[in-house]
Amino acid sequence: DIPKAVIIILAIVTVIVVAVFAVLITKQIKNNQNTNATVSQEDGKNENSNMVTKVGNYKVLGKLVIKKIEVEQYILENTNEEALKLGLTKLYGPTINTTGNFCIAGHNYAEKFLDLNALEKDDTFYIEDTTGKKVTYKVYDKYSVQPDDLKCLMPNQKEKEVTLITCEQGAQTRLVVKAKETTEKVDNTANNTTVNVTTTENKVTTENKAE
């Protein structure tokens, strides 16, 4: 038989372990709540930036604004044909607006990348994340590649870089625009326009207020 003293000790240890586990779980829940505090689950918008959190079935990572060619589109988390119909998509790279090569794909349609070729060296654009933080990028290169040429996706371990990619006329080649973060002062006030997401079935329009 097990001595009563051993049973009592085991019971006390069990109670202590359960209590510690409960404290750790509670702490983790609170941390998760704090992490997600800026996202309103009721209205589907971020409370700080007035940005929607989802378009269709896809999570919104941020918004790309290129004033020169009148582009203001959400960046969706996955690249596939359905997502490309709804907006621009993350093709490859790190978390948005962090060190690395963040690659964005888009169809050469109106309101998307139709006029991407009009961008020139030293033109600027910005990306806004879901917290409302904006990072400005300056174009440093533009070129055409074959569809199987993936050198433009190479990681960048030192800087914040953005690669914009779309099909050129005839879809035989891809247009690539490369840009890096700039600290130059640029007017990043969004236009008083709307971000339109159009499918064959419906249209979702979200107003974006100028700062």
Side-chain angles (χ1 to χ4, degrees):
D1 294 340
I2 301 175
K4 289 183 178 180
V6 173
I7 294 175
I8 292 173
I9 292 173
L10 290 175
I12 292 173
V13 170
T14 300
V15 170
I16 292 173
V17 169
V18 171
V20 171
F21 184 76
V23 170
L24 291 174
I25 291 297
T26 301
K27 184 176 181 181
Q28 183 63 42
I29 291 173
K30 288 181 177 179
N31 287 339
N32 290 340
Q33 288 174 341
N34 290 335
T35 300
N36 298 322
T38 59
V39 178
S40 170
Q41 298 299 327
E42 294 181 359
D43 60 12
K45 292 182 181 180
N46 183 289
E47 294 176 352
N48 290 337
S49 68
N50 196 37
M51 188 181 298
V52 299
T53 58
K54 290 187 72 176
V55 171
N57 296 318
Y58 301 97
K59 178 181 177 182
V60 171
L61 303 179
K63 182 173 66 176
L64 173 68
V65 178
I66 311 175
K67 288 188 175 184
K68 181 176 181 178
I69 58 174
E70 298 182 346
V71 168
E72 189 168 345
Q73 288 284 323
Y74 294 124
I75 305 167
L76 309 183
E77 63 177 337
N78 300 117
T79 293
N80 56 49
E81 193 54 41
E82 181 184 5
L84 284 166
K85 290 178 181 178
L86 298 174
L88 305 177
T89 64
K90 175 183 176 180
L91 180 62
Y92 176 81
T95 303
I96 198 168
N97 285 342
T98 60
T99 299
N101 182 13
F102 189 83
C103 304
I104 302 173
H107 280 313
N108 58 348
Y109 297 164
E111 298 182 352
K112 296 180 182 176
F113 282 166
L114 177 64
D115 298 320
L116 193 63
N117 194 46
L119 289 184
E120 301 172 339
K121 185 177 179 181
D122 295 333
D123 283 339
T124 61
F125 58 84
Y126 72 84
I127 293 179
E128 179 182 351
D129 65 23
T130 55
T131 69
K133 181 180 178 181
K134 300 174 183 177
V135 174
T136 301
Y137 298 87
K138 178 185 284 189
V139 175
Y140 72 88
D141 201 3
K142 180 178 71 174
Y143 53 88
S144 297
V145 297
Q146 295 298 315
D148 59 351
D149 186 344
L150 304 179
K151 295 187 186 70
C152 64
L153 305 183
M154 291 293 291
N156 186 332
Q157 303 297 335
K158 298 180 180 180
E159 303 164 287
K160 295 178 183 177
E161 182 177 18
V162 171
T163 300
L164 309 177
I165 305 171
T166 192
C167 291
E168 293 189 295
Q169 195 69 26
Q172 299 300 309
T173 55
R174 303 287 185 265
L175 175 65
V176 176
V177 174
K178 305 282 285 185
K180 292 181 181 178
E181 180 186 20
T182 178
T183 57
E184 294 179 12
K185 190 173 182 180
V186 178
D187 180 12
N188 278 341
T189 303
N191 298 324
N192 290 315
T193 59
T194 57
V195 177
N196 294 314
V197 182
T198 306
T199 68
T200 55
E201 297 178 355
N202 57 19
K203 176 182 287 188
V204 179
T205 303
T206 301
E207 291 186 359
N208 295 274
K209 299 178 181 179
E211 293 182 345

